[in-house]
Amino acid sequence: MHIRTAIVVGILFALTRLTAGGIAQSSEYVTLALEVSPNGQQIAAGTIDGRLILYDAQTNNVSHIFHVPDGIIDLEWSQDGHQVATVSYMGNVNILNTESYDLVVAINLPSSMVFRVNWSPDGQRLAVTSVEGGITVLNAATGNELYSMRPGDLADSVWASSPYLLTAGLTGLTIWNNQATLARILGTQNGVINGNLPSNIAYSSVTDAIAVYGIQAPTVNNITSTVDFVSVLQTYAFPSLQLLNSTDLSLPQQTAGMKMAWSNSGDYIAMSASDGYVRIWDASTLQLIDEVYIGNSVRAFDWLNESELVYALDDGALNVVTVENTTAPTPTSPPTSTLAPTPSLPLVNGLVAELYANPALECTPAVTRLDPQGAFNW
């Protein structure tokens, strides 16, 4: 296969994370991001119409709602648990104080196709990542740009420890020390796919390990004129990038990884996919230990504790499911996915943009679906 075709396919799988989780949901609540606070007491959920909803993690009741312009494609708590950073597809960045309910920082970056915001562990910087615009690192206190990088098409990013930022994409898995490349593996090197095209990454500070989901070099079936993919889950040591474990995955064809998260103990890895499932692996063996169907909520889930996952429902409520982590699940035929089918690359770009350009897709606040005891700040 021509290398450019493989590149397009790799980015296609990364981009479906931006669309598949939200397009098929109701027009009132399209939750594209969710994260449990570092102390486990609160849950933040971000919707495409710009609501940042704070829930009490014990009761699942709404405690406060912020409203930010341009919608929320991703969010992340600061390590001290006092602030939440949000970002929109068009590059609108907001930092909100979850105690005083003040807006701390609000800036508009000249970027589009933004999909990730990452708070550095020391709380001093924000990394904002887009597919085409690369990475912009901001001062978290002021919103001023510290530096930017254009390493090529990206699919995911996460901080390891300050000042080390990890990125995944066509150029591989890269460790950055500020603007300098510390190490790089996988991806495309000199026009050749080296190992796989990594599209999802997660870092465990407990085990100093990186979980990587990627797609191996695709092959063309000349008889059926179809492209066959093999997806792979791997773990690497940080910062040496020594391979710890690797396993090929038996996922349905054209299934895109959506979100990856380590459990707090570092014992388990969870990853959601565009077929509506969250799959959970033992981190030491990469044995699949459970799979949970959550339908349209594949972008909006997180570990609530070591044995439970929480995700957002279509009506704005939360649901908690127990992870069965003692025995491997019996393989079953998955239900027909309710998610939008995997589109071609141009359609992915157009479809994401349409969510923000088509007035018919705009969300109308429906506060009656939320806890009436909550505080609302529109």
Side-chain angles (χ1 to χ4, degrees):
M1 171 178 290
H2 191 276
I3 184 62
R4 185 59 188 171
T5 304
I7 289 174
V8 169
V9 170
I11 287 299
L12 166 62
F13 274 61
L15 287 176
T16 50
R17 298 202 318 276
L18 305 182
T19 57
I23 294 169
Q25 296 189 44
S26 69
S27 60
E28 294 181 355
Y29 285 87
V30 183
T31 306
L32 295 183
L34 180 147
E35 187 174 63
V36 178
S37 65
N39 64 7
Q41 299 302 306
Q42 294 188 87
I43 301 168
T47 69
I48 201 168
D49 74 328
R51 275 173 286 184
L52 173 62
I53 308 173
L54 299 182
Y55 299 85
D56 182 290
Q58 301 300 316
T59 64
N60 287 352
N61 289 334
V62 173
S63 58
H64 195 79
I65 297 179
F66 299 91
H67 192 274
V68 299
D70 293 338
I72 298 173
I73 197 75
D74 193 35
L75 63 84
E76 187 165 291
W77 286 88
S78 60
Q79 287 295 308
D80 61 13
H82 300 322
Q83 298 181 99
V84 173
T86 70
V87 70
S88 74
Y89 170 78
M90 299 304 296
N92 180 277
V93 180
N94 294 274
I95 299 178
L96 304 119
N97 189 298
T98 59
E99 296 181 339
S100 66
Y101 303 138
D102 291 332
L103 177 64
V104 180
V105 169
I107 60 172
N108 287 296
L109 297 177
S111 301
S112 63
M113 297 178 70
V114 176
F115 61 87
R116 188 72 72 234
V117 61
N118 302 114
W119 211 306
S120 64
D122 61 12
Q124 297 182 12
R125 287 172 285 184
L126 285 179
V128 180
T129 307
S130 70
V131 173
E132 295 180 333
I135 306 162
T136 302
V137 178
L138 308 173
N139 182 310
T142 65
N144 294 332
E145 181 176 329
L146 298 176
Y147 58 88
S148 61
M149 302 180 292
R150 300 293 182 267
D153 294 324
L154 296 174
D156 207 354
S157 60
V158 65
W159 288 94
S161 57
S162 304
Y164 301 112
L165 181 69
L166 309 175
T167 61
L170 295 183
T171 56
L173 172 64
T174 306
I175 301 177
W176 300 91
N177 182 355
N178 294 314
Q179 294 173 272
T181 300
L182 185 65
R184 180 166 71 93
I185 58 172
L186 306 176
T188 56
Q189 298 182 18
N190 299 320
V192 177
I193 297 177
N194 180 28
N196 65 71
L197 297 173
S199 64
N200 300 81
I201 54 175
Y203 171 73
S204 171
S205 60
V206 176
T207 61
D208 265 340
I210 309 164
V212 180
Y213 168 78
I215 302 165
Q216 295 179 351
T219 59
V220 177
N221 188 321
N222 294 323
I223 298 177
T224 61
S225 298
T226 59
V227 180
D228 296 327
F229 301 90
V230 175
S231 53
V232 60
L233 176 65
Q234 298 174 320
T235 51
Y236 291 87
F238 174 83
S240 67
L241 294 185
Q242 176 185 355
L243 180 64
L244 301 176
N245 212 335
S246 179
T247 185
D248 291 347
L249 303 181
S250 298
L251 302 182
Q253 285 292 312
Q254 299 192 14
T255 296
M258 305 292 283
K259 178 181 177 179
M260 181 178 286
W262 289 80
S263 65
N264 290 335
S265 68
D267 290 339
Y268 305 105
I269 301 167
M271 189 186 77
S272 58
S274 58
D275 63 351
Y277 278 99
V278 175
R279 293 172 175 85
I280 301 95
W281 294 269
D282 182 291
S284 61
T285 64
L286 297 187
Q287 178 186 4
L288 180 67
I289 59 173
D290 201 5
E291 49 187 12
V292 179
Y293 187 74
I294 64 173
N296 295 328
S297 304
V298 287
R299 280 189 57 85
F301 88 94
D302 198 7
W303 289 94
L304 184 60
N305 52 56
E306 202 64 15
S307 61
E308 293 179 314
L309 298 175
V310 59
Y311 62 94
L313 299 173
D314 288 354
D315 62 359
L318 300 180
N319 195 35
V320 177
V321 293
T322 299
V323 176
E324 301 295 337
N325 54 24
T326 55
T327 58
T330 301
T332 58
S333 299
T336 301
S337 175
T338 59
L339 304 179
T342 303
S344 65
L345 183 63
L347 181 58
V348 172
N349 296 347
L351 210 51
V352 176
E354 184 182 359
L355 287 172
Y356 292 85
N358 186 348
L361 297 178
E362 292 182 358
C363 304
T364 302
V367 298
T368 55
R369 293 177 182 250
L370 302 175
D371 179 10
Q373 301 302 316
F376 302 99
N377 178 18
W378 297 101

